[in-house]
Amino acid sequence: MRTTLTSSCEEAAAFIRRGELAAFPTETVYGLGADALDVTAVKRIFEVKGRPTDNPMIVHLANADDIQSVVREISRAAGLLVSAFVPGPLTLVLEKASIIPMEVTAGLTTVGVRVPAHPVAHEFLSACGRPVAAPSANRSGAPSPTTWESVREDLDGLVPCILKGDRSAVGLESTVVDCTGSTPMILREGAIGLDMLRTIVPGVQPSSTSGGRTERSPGLRHRHYAPEARVRLYDPDAPVPAESSAYIGVSRPLAEAGFEIVMICRDVDHYAHELFHFFRECDRKGVRRIYCQRPPASGIGAALLDRIVRAGEPASRKG
């Protein structure tokens, strides 16, 4: 298959409208989209990515008003969060409408919905004219792509179209909040942190209390975000192996000379923006170990720590 690279939102949307796949940029990471109402197209996403079928997808919409068309109802808490943070890097889990196939939700009666705050994504989704189911546009388990070049690296020849855009501004996947119960709960950390959510809905609970609800969010039931290199949290008191190693953080490591690649970020936001891109650059250069400074466990730091830990979890390789 020849993969079309285009900067035209209309051209990319035409692939979706005729039941094919198209990768597209958002402010979080690049997504791999299919018409959410087309079961055959949705199944193709799982095949292309090697994605487990028990991993639900997020439905992407052009406008906040479109949410009501794919869910049974919007709770009061969800409505408040929509007014405050949508469009933006926030996914809300709600009871799905009957038009959303079970293939999108991994057999669940709930669905994650998001309206990206990205001008290209908005134009693309508007041109599609229908809800678009989209996980990240990468091989399952690999670091999420934040550039169209990374999408091509993983999926060239496997997807019909890649819509080119700028590098993703956030660099980590969206915050996921389950709004189906009486108490909204964070299922996945992201750029919109607990403190921000509680300014709008004080009762929102952190991810540590979500328990069995985690199955309703992508990115939690299988190993994710992992480069070929081994990922570890940096311990300044532990020796760095002599083998090829890299470091990323906001402070310089104690023994900088022991690393082949060192990236010092301006702040935690910049750290989050760079993480997945850094993972991919290290793989391209054959680095065997990546050491990540422990970020603060609040705000986007909590999301960053989550991704680092999941990337470093021992598990069988991607798939």
Side-chain angles (χ1 to χ4, degrees):
M1 175 191 299
R2 175 181 172 272
T3 297
T4 297
L5 301 176
T6 182
S7 298
S8 167
C9 293
E10 176 57 39
E11 182 178 8
F15 284 89
I16 299 293
R17 294 196 300 267
R18 59 176 178 258
E20 299 184 76
L21 308 186
F24 62 100
T26 79
E27 76 278 19
T28 56
V29 299
Y30 273 67
L32 178 60
D35 181 346
L37 310 184
D38 185 334
V39 171
T40 300
V42 169
K43 287 181 176 179
R44 182 62 181 149
I45 290 179
F46 288 99
E47 294 169 4
V48 167
K49 282 177 57 73
R51 182 181 177 88
T53 56
D54 63 351
N55 198 0
M57 297 186 197
I58 293 170
V59 172
H60 291 67
L61 303 162
N63 301 288
D65 290 344
D66 298 332
I67 295 175
Q68 60 189 349
S69 68
V70 297
V71 303
R72 289 177 57 188
E73 65 176 347
I74 300 174
S75 66
R76 179 177 181 277
L80 291 172
L81 294 175
V82 167
S83 296
F85 299 114
V86 175
L90 177 67
T91 294
L92 299 176
V93 174
L94 299 162
E95 293 291 336
K96 78 177 189 70
S98 58
I99 62 168
I100 298 297
M102 287 293 190
E103 286 78 4
V104 171
T105 65
L108 300 171
T109 61
T110 57
V111 63
V113 294
R114 182 163 107 79
V115 180
H118 189 290
V120 175
H122 173 74
E123 184 178 348
F124 165 73
L125 292 166
S126 296
C128 289
R130 61 205 70 191
V132 172
S136 54
N138 59 321
R139 292 174 291 109
S140 185
S144 298
T146 57
T147 66
W148 67 264
E149 291 92 342
S150 292
V151 178
R152 182 174 61 178
E153 187 175 69
D154 275 15
L155 301 179
D156 188 31
L158 296 175
V159 298
C161 179
I162 297 173
L163 176 58
K164 298 192 295 183
D166 294 337
R167 186 170 166 186
S168 299
V170 175
L172 299 179
E173 299 82 0
S174 61
T175 304
V176 178
V177 179
D178 186 345
C179 292
T180 59
S182 57
T183 302
M185 289 190 176
I186 297 176
L187 301 186
R188 183 177 71 186
E189 301 283 355
I192 298 175
L194 178 63
D195 290 345
M196 295 174 66
L197 294 166
R198 281 182 169 172
T199 62
I200 306 301
V201 180
V204 174
Q205 293 300 301
S207 56
S208 59
T209 63
S210 59
R213 293 202 206 180
T214 55
E215 67 179 11
R216 299 179 180 181
S217 173
L220 300 182
R221 300 186 67 186
H222 302 274
R223 190 185 190 201
H224 279 73
Y225 324 120
E228 295 298 331
R230 292 289 182 180
V231 176
R232 296 287 184 271
L233 285 167
Y234 176 63
D235 179 355
D237 297 323
V240 175
E243 63 191 60
S244 175
S245 299
Y247 170 89
I248 183 171
V250 297
S251 302
R252 293 195 174 277
L254 294 182
E256 186 171 336
F259 295 101
E260 180 178 325
I261 306 172
V262 172
M263 180 166 194
I264 307 303
C265 302
R266 294 187 302 273
D267 51 31
V268 177
D269 286 337
H270 186 216
Y271 189 176
H273 174 73
E274 293 291 340
L275 183 70
F276 290 153
H277 191 71
F278 186 76
F279 281 177
R280 286 178 174 269
E281 282 297 312
C282 287
D283 276 350
R284 292 184 190 109
K285 294 178 179 178
V287 169
R288 297 181 63 184
R289 290 180 183 268
I290 302 172
Y291 290 86
C292 303
Q293 183 181 12
R294 181 183 290 272
S298 61
I300 199 169
L304 185 55
L305 180 59
D306 171 77
R307 303 315 192 269
I308 293 169
V309 170
R310 291 184 186 282
E313 287 176 347
S316 58
R317 198 29 119 195
K318 316 168 179 100

